[in-house]
Amino acid sequence: PLFPQSPRPPRAAIAARRNELERSRADVQALGFKGRSSEPTPSAPPPSASTVKEMRSARRAAGRRKYDVALSFAGEDREYVEKVADALRAAGVDVFYDRYEQVNLWGKDLAEHFGHVYGQDARFVGMFSSRHYPAKAWPNHEKSHALATHLKGVGGRMLPVRFDDTDIPGVPGTIGYLDLRVLTPDRLAELVRQKIDSDAPDA
């Protein structure tokens, strides 16, 4: 059987009910309680550049580091790596890239200095693997110091990226890497920045 539809409430009754609800919400808020609002909650503004810089500095200080990241690469791959370094620098990241350090490196024992940079002074080491990398003396020296620190239990410091499928001897195959064949220098720099700003301070 069909049932008759209930008559719709008049507009005046609807308006009265809405006013009653508004008064109830006001009474609850007057008692110190927050009611649900139909207005969207504004999102927190992103931290300022100076705040981000202070956060990075605090994380470096917590681990007694000088750089956010040091870049290890073969000279044949410099063109790509330099674009990454420039993008990181523009983003306010403290990056160790040899061409930025010419005056500082002048007259120093490079073997000892690079050992400190890649083993102790950088929170992360970006390792640019390619077919040229294993045959080069300096990249292997840098890798050995970064790997020694990694094996001491300071995990997550090595950030390997690959130009090709060349494996780097000594670097565990279980470490996640990024494929540079599908990443522009600017995009890689952005990912490195995100890693630096999101990762917890190391000890």
Side-chain angles (χ1 to χ4, degrees):
L2 297 177
F3 295 93
Q5 294 183 347
S6 300
R8 294 183 180 180
R11 292 183 180 179
I14 295 175
R17 178 58 178 162
R18 183 179 294 119
N19 291 335
E20 182 182 343
L21 290 173
E22 290 297 331
R23 285 194 299 272
S24 297
R25 184 181 294 114
D27 291 341
V28 170
Q29 290 177 347
L31 294 174
F33 298 99
K34 292 184 178 180
R36 287 189 296 179
S37 172
S38 58
E39 296 295 326
T41 302
S43 57
S48 65
S50 60
T51 300
V52 171
K53 186 175 182 178
E54 290 173 2
M55 291 169 59
R56 291 174 186 158
S57 178
R59 284 171 168 163
R60 290 196 306 273
R64 298 179 296 279
R65 313 289 183 189
K66 182 177 180 181
Y67 302 98
D68 294 314
V69 62
L71 307 182
S72 176
F73 60 97
E76 289 84 349
D77 303 315
R78 181 179 292 279
E79 181 179 357
Y80 183 103
V81 176
E82 184 157 309
K83 292 177 181 177
V84 176
D86 289 346
L88 287 170
R89 200 181 205 185
V93 172
D94 283 313
V95 54
F96 179 86
Y97 173 61
D98 57 0
R99 283 189 174 170
Y100 297 162
E101 302 280 337
Q102 288 182 343
V103 173
N104 187 36
L105 297 176
W106 191 8
K108 286 190 174 180
D109 182 329
L110 296 183
E112 179 181 358
H113 185 72
F114 284 178
H116 281 289
V117 169
Y118 291 91
Q120 303 173 25
D121 291 344
R123 288 189 62 217
F124 297 96
V125 175
M127 191 173 297
F128 290 77
S129 169
S130 73
R131 61 187 179 88
H132 308 291
Y133 193 101
K136 298 290 182 174
W138 285 117
N140 276 285
H141 180 70
E142 297 156 5
K143 176 202 69 178
S144 65
H145 284 275
L147 186 59
T149 303
H150 177 83
L151 294 177
K152 289 178 183 177
V154 185
R157 291 191 65 249
M158 296 176 65
L159 303 178
V161 293
R162 291 184 177 183
F163 286 105
D164 52 40
D165 295 325
T166 303
D167 289 325
I168 302 301
V171 177
T174 53
I175 296 181
Y177 69 91
L178 297 179
D179 192 335
L180 299 181
R181 289 167 289 195
V182 296
L183 290 174
T184 65
D186 284 344
R187 179 56 181 160
L188 176 62
E190 172 60 17
L191 293 173
V192 173
R193 184 201 64 76
Q194 290 179 22
K195 180 69 173 177
I196 290 168
D197 290 344
S198 65
D199 208 73
D202 54 334

